[in-house]
Amino acid sequence: MAGFKHLLIVKFKADCPVDDILNGMEKLVSEIDAVKSFEWGQDIESEEMLRQGFTHAFLMSFHSKEDYTAFVGHPSHVEFSATFSGAIDKIVLLDFPCVFAKASA
Amino acid sequence: MAGFKHLLIVKFKADCPVDDILNGMEKLVSEIDAVKSFEWGQDIESEEMLRQGFTHAFLMSFHSKEDYTAFVGHPSHVEFSATFSGAIDKIVLLDFPCVFAKASA
């Protein structure tokens, strides 16, 4: 699963409807072909000192940087981004070509 | 690629030998069978405001939380963690069961 990655680390606002946001995200990526895969999770294990308040990670994979750019500019993404931005307390976002250092079945 | 994930977002210290650290990490995960896959990358695209100084992401996948726990307690990991900790300026760490919301070839 090399290619280009779009990674978000998020802390949601206390009063935001997290499930609605998660459903919206899954719907968004399912609709846009440029998104090759989408994995996410909620932290259950890290220590608060290391987690620093962040609770969720979202990782999208693309075949190429061009596919990522197409996703960012997609009207559905632009629309959802506004909703998403309103729901987050803090965020870190990284976009990078992925180095696949180990893969096994 | 569901299972359990160990995600690190890192900013390295200005004077640290990043390549040595990266090589050490690749060696570490290649030696420990519990690590199913290891992907990493260096941000090239995100805006500084959203990146917040973080430069690298590291994502390790495990078949289960038990495999992750075995990795954490492995002597090679304990030894490398000390080196790694000395090289980082800041870090966020998240450990989570992965939800696979979209997968395509």
Side-chain angles (χ1 to χ4, degrees), chain B:
Chain B
M1 199 165 309
F4 199 83
K5 301 274 182 178
H6 178 53
L7 173 68
L8 290 77
I9 311 287
V10 170
K11 179 188 181 185
F12 288 109
K13 287 178 182 166
D15 60 348
C16 94
V18 173
D19 287 347
D20 290 353
I21 298 290
L22 296 175
N23 289 337
M25 252 178 133
E26 295 196 354
K27 183 166 177 289
L28 175 72
V29 301
S30 72
E31 284 174 1
I32 301 180
D33 287 343
V35 182
K36 189 172 67 163
S37 77
F38 174 53
E39 302 165 280
W40 67 272
Q42 180 170 4
D43 181 277
I44 60 163
E45 188 75 9
S46 182
E47 296 175 36
E48 182 54 37
M49 189 187 75
L50 293 170
R51 186 167 50 205
Q52 295 183 37
F54 292 98
T55 56
H56 290 72
F58 302 95
L59 182 68
M60 296 176 198
S61 302
F62 303 85
H63 282 294
S64 64
K65 186 161 172 281
E66 289 67 33
D67 279 2
Y68 166 67
T69 305
F71 166 73
V72 171
H74 192 290
S76 298
H77 176 260
V78 173
E79 185 182 340
F80 184 75
S81 291
T83 306
F84 190 76
S85 298
I88 56 175
D89 183 2
K90 59 179 187 171
I91 188 168
V92 174
L93 197 154
L94 292 174
D95 301 310
F96 54 91
C98 185
V99 181
F100 215 161
K102 180 176 180 177
S104 63

Side-chain angles (χ1 to χ4, degrees), chain A residues 7-20:
Chain A
L7 174 67
L8 291 77
I9 311 289
V10 170
K11 179 188 181 186
F12 288 108
K13 288 179 181 165
D15 60 348
C16 95
V18 174
D19 287 347
D20 290 353

Side-chain angles (χ1 to χ4, degrees), chain A residues 49-75:
Chain A
M49 190 187 74
L50 294 171
R51 185 166 51 203
Q52 295 183 38
F54 291 98
T55 55
H56 290 73
F58 302 95
L59 182 68
M60 296 176 201
S61 301
F62 304 83
H63 282 294
S64 65
K65 186 161 172 283
E66 289 68 32
D67 279 2
Y68 167 67
T69 305
F71 166 73
V72 170
H74 192 290

